[in-house]
Amino acid sequence: MNKIEQLTETTPSDSTHAVPAPPSFDPRADLATAVELAGRTLAAVRPDQYDAPTPCEEFDVRRLSSHLVAVVRRISVIGRGEDPFSVPSFADEIADGAWAAAWEPGAREVAKVWADPGILGRQLRLPIGVVPGAVAAAVYTHELTVHTWDLARATGQDPDWDAALIERVIDVVRRALPAETRGGRIPFAEVVAVGPEAPAIDRLVAWAGRRP
């Protein structure tokens, strides 16, 4: 089991752990942007790439595509205040090549559930613990962006990254997913050192243990 699977399969403590203060901006727009970019990247995957390795440990393109569909479904479940573990970590029922078609209803449901501005102040249960909705939106913007980068790297795509969005996400996830707790509740590998002058996307994925 790799570190991403540990996030989705290990039930956290019922207590609320320390989290950063909710962002001063409305992070739902960033979440919507991340959902849209992930969907476009997923739709561009070719059949001959399904078995290709990705930077995400133990995930080939097929497995990562299945996991992405599960993530977008989980974001809606979390927004409704339901148990995130009610959504499997992989959409194994989806046939090869059907991930993009499955993504569309998942994305629409995210938009519907997260349209309520009151969601930002609610305490929502994530696999890593209980956080305010505003923080949850940033955490999942981070996960979707990192996995979009994984998929793009594996399939030769070059998405148009929103640097301002990524800078906002970095500010939240460095506190929500601190470096010193890797191997515990944090589902990523050790932080990879990159210079402060590196592009925003490189600094974001390096925080998740990727080597840009």
Side-chain angles (χ1 to χ4, degrees):
M1 178 178 291
N2 65 34
K3 290 178 168 54
I4 298 297
E5 287 175 308
Q6 289 171 14
L7 169 70
T8 54
E9 298 299 339
T10 302
T11 304
S13 168
D14 290 336
S15 61
T16 302
H17 61 270
V19 297
S24 58
F25 59 93
D26 186 337
R28 293 176 299 163
D30 286 351
L31 178 60
T33 297
V35 168
E36 194 275 334
L37 183 58
R40 277 195 282 122
T41 306
L42 187 61
V45 174
R46 303 190 312 268
D48 63 297
Q49 296 173 323
Y50 294 165
D51 293 321
T54 78
C56 187
E57 182 185 349
E58 298 180 13
F59 282 20
D60 60 12
V61 167
R62 175 182 286 104
R63 200 65 171 154
L64 180 56
S65 299
S66 176
H67 179 61
L68 270 167
V69 173
V71 170
V72 81
R73 291 172 173 175
R74 182 168 283 178
I75 294 169
S76 294
V77 166
I78 287 169
R80 290 195 294 267
E82 298 170 3
D83 180 5
F85 295 102
S86 66
V87 179
S89 299
F90 300 93
D92 287 332
E93 81 284 0
I94 298 175
D96 284 1
W99 302 294
W103 183 268
E104 293 304 319
R108 288 194 298 270
E109 186 66 12
V110 169
K112 177 181 176 182
V113 170
W114 286 80
D116 177 9
I119 199 172
L120 298 177
R122 293 184 197 131
Q123 296 296 309
L124 302 178
R125 186 186 178 202
L126 276 61
I128 61 171
V130 178
V131 300
V135 174
V139 167
Y140 274 100
T141 299
H142 168 263
E143 178 164 359
L144 286 173
T145 302
V146 170
H147 280 325
T148 298
W149 181 87
D150 289 331
L151 192 62
R153 272 296 182 94
T155 58
Q157 300 185 56
D158 186 20
D160 185 15
W161 304 109
D162 184 333
L165 177 158
I166 293 169
E167 294 288 4
R168 289 191 292 270
V169 172
I170 289 172
D171 185 55
V172 176
V173 299
R174 282 184 173 171
R175 290 171 285 158
L177 307 175
E180 60 272 15
T181 56
R182 300 301 163 102
R185 68 177 180 85
I186 304 303
F188 302 110
E190 296 297 322
V191 172
V192 173
V194 294
E197 74 287 349
I201 186 62
D202 288 0
R203 286 183 279 118
L204 181 73
V205 300
W207 194 259
R210 307 296 195 265
R211 296 188 177 278

